[in-house]
Each structure stands twice: as structure tokens, then as C-alpha cells.
Amino acid sequence: MTGADRPQAIAAPPGRLALFALLGVCAGLPFYLFSTVLSLRLAQNGVPIAVIGFFAWVSLLPTFKFLWAPIVDRFGVPGFARFYGRRRSWILAGQLGIAASITGLALTHPDRSLTATAFWALALAFWTTMLEIAVDGWRIELAPDAATQGPIVAANIWGYRGAMVAVGSGVLLVAERAGWAAGYLIPAAVALAAFVPIAATRRDAAGEGGRVPALAKGLAASAALFAGLALVIAIAGSALLALAAAIGIGANSNVTPWLLGLALVPFLAMALAIPAIRRRSPEAIAASGAPMRPYLDLFWRYGFAAITLLAFVSLYRMGDVLALTLAKPFVAALGYSLGAIGLADGIVALAASMAGVAAGGLLAARWPAGSTLALGALLAAIGNFAFVWLGARPLSAPALWLATGADQFGNGFAGAAFVVYLSLLVNPVHAAAQYAFLSGFAFLLPRLLAGGAGSFAAAHGYSAFFLMAGTLSLAALLFLPPVLRARPREGVA
């Protein structure tokens, strides 16, 4: 696809930035609830740190979103899609699934059945991912260049990170006073309430029928989808537990060699497949089956440079993902109360995160990509190292605020710069599928290794763990020169 063939950027009309900020809220609200807040809850309920690390694998599910992203590109949720179109139909269904899953997590406290807790965490991760796929595809279609991506990305991530941090903080403050169940039920109610303004948006340009019949049929279809998902999770979960038991993996196992071996598999597979893909003609790629076409197009355009690109995106957010897994259990282990952690997250983290996102989105639209990405990696590493500094100090609210602020500012800046960069790598014809693949792969290796974070911290200590996380953030800089030289070849649509 040539530059001339790309869709022209659409100037954001009044309300578009607000809409994407709301969609960011919808996607960001549940994230901490199946990751960092859940890890703190598990620690409070006496779950061993190594097992808490295993729960980080719940976040692996979004990394495989490219497997079902083509469904979002081609199909809609029955009922909803007829009136709202494909993208919003999945956004609406995702919002309902998010509300139901958070409610399920509320009811599993005090985590006496870790299987039940894991089930609802996986369901929440799945529906959050479906919503993100739909939002990302819609965003890239509306704004395919850097100048228009910057403001929309900033608005979307503002909403995302604002909700993520505010909910994470609010749950802790409520949990300290009214218990974990109440802490989870409140964001479940917020998620359900967010369904209303999205359902009130206007009919799609190609839509037909009435709003009320569309909502009724969409609610029924969403319930059926949730039941089907529950069955898939139950079957897959049982199979994985049986496999782990068969090969001797348990709470006290050293899983790092297994994880590093698994991390190499996709790179080896790509190295074997790329020569055959590159030899195919543009017409053959365009005529390939719909589920595979977006991914064949990506590797056809970038060739072996795709391996370098994917290695870079795997490392870029590595430190943030690893730190996120154990940050709250670490701070709690230092002696800080749920209230102190919640206040730091609610005031300092929110302000620092918003400032980081704003700076990252602004500079991504104005600076060369290499400069913005390099600064983001440096700031992310500083945020990781801040936890090492915090652990060496006596309990102090200002110290907790400073470490939290450094972490959240760096995370927000790097996140905004990274989203803009990934968005410009995709072919807009396959926007949702290719962005899902790139953003999912970006977190595959970090989330895979995060499952062993608890075992590493138990063996070497928290300080060594956060030093490692920061160093890995800086390691991404080694890939910047070849990444910035990578150019796609033209020809496939």
C-alpha cells in the first residue's frame, strides 16, 4: 500500500477526544483489578509470593488478542452490530462482560478457591481485551497519521490511565474500610454505568433498525458469548493444570528456564516462515484467507526486519510489566498500609501519569520517533529504580509519593510514545488485526517472564528484582538504530 493509497486523516470533530477518553476509561477501569490490585489482595489473603507471580500469567491472555482480532474486523455482535456497527458492538458487549467479571471477582474473596479467582480474572482479561481491540481499530481508522494520532492517543490513554490509577487507588481505600468484596463491587457498578452513554451514541452510518430491539438482542447475544467463554476457560484451564502437574511444575518450581525457552519459540517460527512469505507475490498475499491476510501482509512488508521490530517492542515495556507484577506487594511488605498505598496511587500517581501521557503524546507528534522512544525508555527505567531507592529508606509518605510519581510518569510517557509508534507500523486496511498483533506481541515476553517474578524475588530479594526490571527497560535502546532504519516495502493492501 502506497502513502497515496492511505485513507486521509480525519480532523477530530468536537466530542471525538471526549469519546476516546471515555473509551479509555472503559478499558482502563478493569486492568489493575486482574493484575496489581489482585496481587496485593492475594498477598493480604496469605497466598505465597511465588503463586502470586503465577497470577501474572492472566495478563498473557491479552497478548494473544491477534488470534481473535480478525473476528472484530469482520463480524459484529448480533443485535448490537445491526444498529451500532461492528466496532461499537464489541465495545458494548465488552463492557457488559467486564461488569460481570468484576462482580465475580468480588464474590471470590477471600480467595479460598484460587481456581475460581483465576477463572474470573481470566474472564475479565478477555472482555477487557475485546473492548481494546475494537477501540484500537476504530482509532487507527479515524486517524492514520502521527499528527492526528497524537491527540487522540493522549485522550484515550488519559482516560485509560486515569481510570486505571483511580480505580486501583479507590479499591484499596474502600477495602481498608469495608473489605475487598465492596472494593470490587463499586468498580463493577461503574463499568455497568459506562455502558449507558456508549449505548446512547447515534446509529452507525450503515446501521438500521431501532435502538431498543438492537439492545435487547445484543444483551441476549452477549450472555450467550459469556457462557461460551466460561466453557472455554474451564476446559483450557483444566488442561493447563493437568499439563503443569504432569511435567512437575508447582509453587516451588524454578520456571525461568521454561519461560525463556517458550519466549524463543515465536522468534524461531518467524525466522522459518519469513523467507516463504517474502517470495509470494503481492497478489498472492492479498488473495490469502481473511484470518491470515493481515499477518502475512505485515511480514511481507517488513521481512526479516519484523524480527528486529518485534524484539524491540518486546523489550520496550519489559521493565514496566515486571515491576507492575510485584510493586504493590513490595510496598505492602515494607510496612505501608492499604490506605497509604491507595492515597499515593490516587493523588500522586494519577497526576504523574496524566502528565507523563500528555508529554509523551505531545512529543510523539512533534519529535522524531527515535528521540521520543529513547526518552521513554530512560524515564521508565528511572521509575523502576525508584522502588530500589524506596526500599532502602525508612517508612515515609513523601518517599512513597516520590517513587510512585517517578514510576507513573515514566510509565505514562513511554506508553503514549509507544502507542503512537505501533500505530504507524500498521497497514490501515488491517488496522485492528495488525495493531492487536503488535501490541499483543509487545507484552508476550514481559508477561510470560512476569509469571516467574515471584520466584525471582523470593530467591534474590525485591531490590535485585527492580534493578533487573530497570536494566531491561534500558536494554531496548540497543535496538533503536536498526528499528529506525526499518522500512516496509510497498504493494500489498
Side-chain angles (χ1 to χ4, degrees):
M1 163 176 266
T2 65
D5 293 329
R6 283 178 173 265
Q8 294 299 306
I10 302 172
R16 179 168 295 172
L17 296 182
L19 172 61
F20 275 91
L22 173 62
L23 293 174
V25 169
C26 294
L29 181 146
F31 183 76
Y32 274 176
L33 300 181
F34 65 81
S35 58
T36 182
V37 169
L38 181 59
S39 68
L40 179 54
R41 178 177 119 174
L42 293 170
Q44 292 273 310
N45 286 330
V47 178
I49 189 65
V51 176
I52 292 173
F54 294 160
F55 265 81
W57 286 330
V58 171
S59 296
L60 268 175
L61 193 148
T63 67
F64 294 105
K65 59 188 177 182
F66 65 90
L67 295 175
W68 53 84
I71 297 174
V72 178
D73 270 339
R74 290 178 57 82
F75 304 103
V77 177
F80 289 151
R82 184 178 178 86
F83 184 88
Y84 295 99
R86 291 195 311 272
R87 304 293 191 205
R88 276 182 292 168
S89 76
W90 286 106
I91 291 170
L92 290 166
Q95 202 60 30
L96 293 172
I98 286 168
S101 301
I102 296 174
T103 302
L105 275 175
L107 300 179
T108 60
H109 173 72
D111 301 311
R112 292 193 178 94
S113 171
L114 292 180
T115 301
T117 302
F119 169 82
W120 288 110
L122 282 166
L124 181 56
F126 175 85
W127 286 112
T128 303
T129 302
M130 293 303 289
L131 186 146
E132 288 179 349
I133 292 170
V135 172
D136 287 334
W138 197 20
R139 169 177 57 78
I140 294 169
E141 285 179 356
L142 294 174
D145 60 49
T148 50
Q149 273 289 319
I152 291 180
V153 165
N156 188 243
I157 301 182
W158 253 1
Y160 184 95
R161 295 191 63 80
M164 184 173 68
V165 174
V167 169
S169 168
V171 168
L172 299 186
L173 293 173
V174 172
E176 187 174 54
R177 292 164 175 78
W180 283 104
Y184 269 76
L185 285 172
I186 290 174
V190 173
L192 190 59
F195 176 89
V196 177
I198 299 170
T201 55
R202 64 186 181 183
R203 184 166 57 189
D204 185 74
E208 55 186 42
R211 187 188 306 272
V212 174
L215 287 172
K217 292 178 181 177
L219 289 170
S222 298
L225 286 171
F226 197 95
L229 173 67
L231 181 62
V232 170
I233 291 176
I235 294 173
S238 298
L240 287 173
L241 289 174
L243 177 62
I247 61 179
I249 293 179
N252 298 318
S253 302
N254 178 14
V255 298
T256 302
W258 291 93
L259 299 178
L260 292 175
L262 285 172
L264 291 176
V265 170
F267 290 99
L268 293 174
M270 286 185 290
L272 292 172
I274 285 173
I277 295 173
R278 291 282 282 184
R279 286 195 297 268
R280 299 181 71 175
S281 67
E283 294 75 19
I285 298 294
S288 57
M292 293 302 298
R293 189 184 308 139
Y295 313 121
L296 292 175
D297 169 80
L298 180 69
F299 287 107
W300 187 92
R301 288 189 300 121
Y302 284 100
F304 281 103
I307 297 179
T308 305
L309 289 172
L310 291 171
F312 169 73
V313 301
S314 294
L315 272 175
Y316 193 75
R317 303 305 307 278
M318 178 78 75
D320 289 338
V321 173
L322 292 177
L324 181 67
T325 305
L326 297 183
K328 282 186 169 57
F330 164 64
V331 174
L334 292 177
Y336 290 97
S337 67
L338 289 180
I341 299 170
L343 286 173
D345 283 351
I347 299 173
V348 178
L350 182 60
S353 178
M354 296 300 96
V357 168
L362 177 64
L363 294 183
R366 297 185 177 183
W367 281 14
S371 301
T372 312
L373 291 169
L375 181 56
L378 177 61
L379 291 172
I382 291 172
N384 299 148
F385 295 147
F387 287 112
V388 180
W389 173 81
L390 179 66
R393 298 182 59 83
L395 293 183
S396 164
L400 176 60
W401 297 343
L402 184 58
T404 301
D407 175 60
Q408 290 297 318
F409 183 87
N411 203 328
F413 186 102
F418 193 56
V419 168
V420 172
Y421 173 71
L422 289 187
S423 299
L424 298 178
L425 292 177
V426 306
N427 180 344
V429 173
H430 308 296
Q434 289 189 358
Y435 186 86
F437 175 77
L438 289 169
S439 59
F441 199 94
F443 292 99
L444 173 60
L445 181 57
R447 287 170 178 165
L448 190 63
L449 295 178
S455 299
F456 184 95
H460 304 287
Y462 280 114
S463 292
F465 171 75
F466 288 109
L467 280 171
M468 176 191 67
T471 302
L472 288 172
S473 291
L474 292 175
L477 296 175
L478 299 175
F479 286 85
L480 263 183
V483 160
L484 295 176
R485 288 195 298 268
R487 293 289 184 274
R489 67 177 177 181
E490 306 287 352
V492 177

